[in-house]
Amino acid sequence: MQNELILIVEDEQKIAQILVDFLEMDGFKTKVLNDGENAVEQVKELSPSAVILDLMLPHKDGLTICREVRQFSEVPILMLTARVDEIDRLTGLGIGADDYVCKPFSAREVVARIKVILKRVGKSINTDIVDSRLIYKNIEVDTEKFSCHVAGELVELTPVEFRIISTMISKPGAVFSRDKIMRSCYEDERIVSSRTIDSHMKNLRAKLICDTDEESLLHSVYGIGYKVE
Ligand code: CA
């Protein structure tokens, strides 16, 4: 928990400063942006542990920033809004924020919520490595036996599919580009089209669904690639 960077995007300097004070008191590092213009780039560059994002910002609003960040990152986002009814509207839009806090707020509460989010994320994105097995949620990949189980059921994978899932499951939440996937699954570096990757992913995705799940843990990320989460 110590020294994790929290990016604060807030144009009201007083509010930003209170958040900085309270977060730093708790051992976090902070970075403040006073407008929305470069927020997305800064998330890319700094890869913060979480983002506190105000809704109304100069140049680019929090809604747009949140949507753009979700194109490439699952970083936890806590949205600050000025009105309670905005929270309902935003939740309805499904913009992908993790939590919402209405102004005026107590900084203590915001810090507490950030900690809750970080705990939740930390728990869900860790892969347990037990001897030769990689275990994430209900998927278990054994790199010695070349086996893959989903919810305890053995799943038959092709060698390429097996290499893909072994690579991706070691980093849950991380987005893998088609290039990266290609490099990880074809040792002889032969050139395959990105369509080939897509068809492998489609098959793999279907195989990783178990009876009790509605969707696979393997997701496509529009315009970028794929992730396991
Ligand atoms: Ca504002």
Side-chain angles (χ1 to χ4, degrees):
M1 173 88 28
Q2 298 301 302
N3 286 324
E4 286 181 293
L5 176 69
I6 311 296
L7 180 65
I8 301 162
V9 192
E10 166 63 80
D11 55 319
E12 286 168 79
Q13 298 198 8
K14 265 189 191 163
I15 293 181
Q17 191 55 49
I18 292 171
L19 289 172
V20 166
D21 292 346
F22 272 78
L23 286 163
E24 292 191 348
M25 222 153 41
D26 254 292
F28 290 101
K29 283 193 286 188
T30 57
K31 159 95 183 168
V32 175
L33 300 175
N34 290 125
D35 74 59
E37 197 172 14
N38 298 314
V40 176
E41 286 69 27
Q42 288 289 292
V43 171
K44 256 187 207 153
E45 212 175 298
L46 303 169
S47 18
S49 300
V51 181
I52 298 176
L53 181 60
D54 188 28
L55 183 63
M56 300 296 282
L57 291 163
H59 302 299
K60 193 183 266 185
D61 64 274
L63 185 71
T64 310
I65 294 168
C66 190
R67 284 196 167 129
E68 289 182 16
V69 166
R70 280 291 173 263
Q71 300 282 310
F72 65 91
S73 168
E74 287 297 312
V75 61
I77 296 177
L78 179 92
M79 287 274 261
L80 304 177
T81 73
R83 298 202 325 256
V84 177
D85 56 347
E86 269 172 355
I87 297 182
D88 287 340
R89 187 175 67 89
L90 293 169
T91 319
L93 288 174
I95 55 163
D98 295 82
D99 202 356
Y100 299 88
V101 171
C102 190
K103 293 178 188 175
F105 52 75
S106 93
R108 210 180 291 277
E109 192 198 334
V110 173
V111 174
R113 294 230 203 165
I114 285 286
K115 284 184 179 170
V116 169
I117 296 176
L118 288 175
K119 217 181 219 173
R120 197 160 67 207
V121 172
K123 258 189 207 141
S124 67
I125 66 172
N126 284 338
T127 300
D128 297 320
I129 302 173
V130 185
D131 45 70
S132 58
R133 290 175 296 160
L134 298 161
I135 302 163
Y136 177 67
K137 292 189 178 170
N138 64 9
I139 303 176
E140 185 182 320
V141 173
D142 192 318
T143 53
E144 271 177 11
K145 294 180 187 154
F146 290 95
S147 65
C148 174
H149 288 81
V150 177
E153 296 283 322
L154 182 68
V155 180
E156 299 282 348
L157 299 181
T158 66
V160 167
E161 287 165 358
F162 185 81
R163 270 183 230 135
I164 294 173
I165 190 62
S166 312
T167 305
M168 294 186 67
I169 202 172
S170 60
K171 263 190 150 182
V175 180
F176 289 80
S177 66
R178 288 178 178 77
D179 265 357
K180 205 169 178 184
I181 294 168
M182 228 179 281
R183 270 180 272 127
S184 76
C185 65
Y186 293 99
E187 284 162 349
D188 55 357
E189 295 193 3
R190 76 185 114 137
I191 308 296
V192 295
S193 73
S194 58
R195 285 225 185 109
T196 312
I197 293 294
D198 287 337
S199 77
H200 285 312
M201 297 313 270
K202 196 178 156 211
N203 294 335
L204 186 54
R205 205 171 179 186
K207 289 181 182 180
L208 295 179
I209 300 182
C210 72
D211 297 342
T212 52
D213 282 352
E214 281 181 12
E215 55 174 289
S216 178
L217 293 177
L218 184 63
H219 307 273
S220 71
V221 180
Y222 184 73
I224 305 178
Y226 294 90
K227 67 176 176 180
V228 167
E229 192 164 50

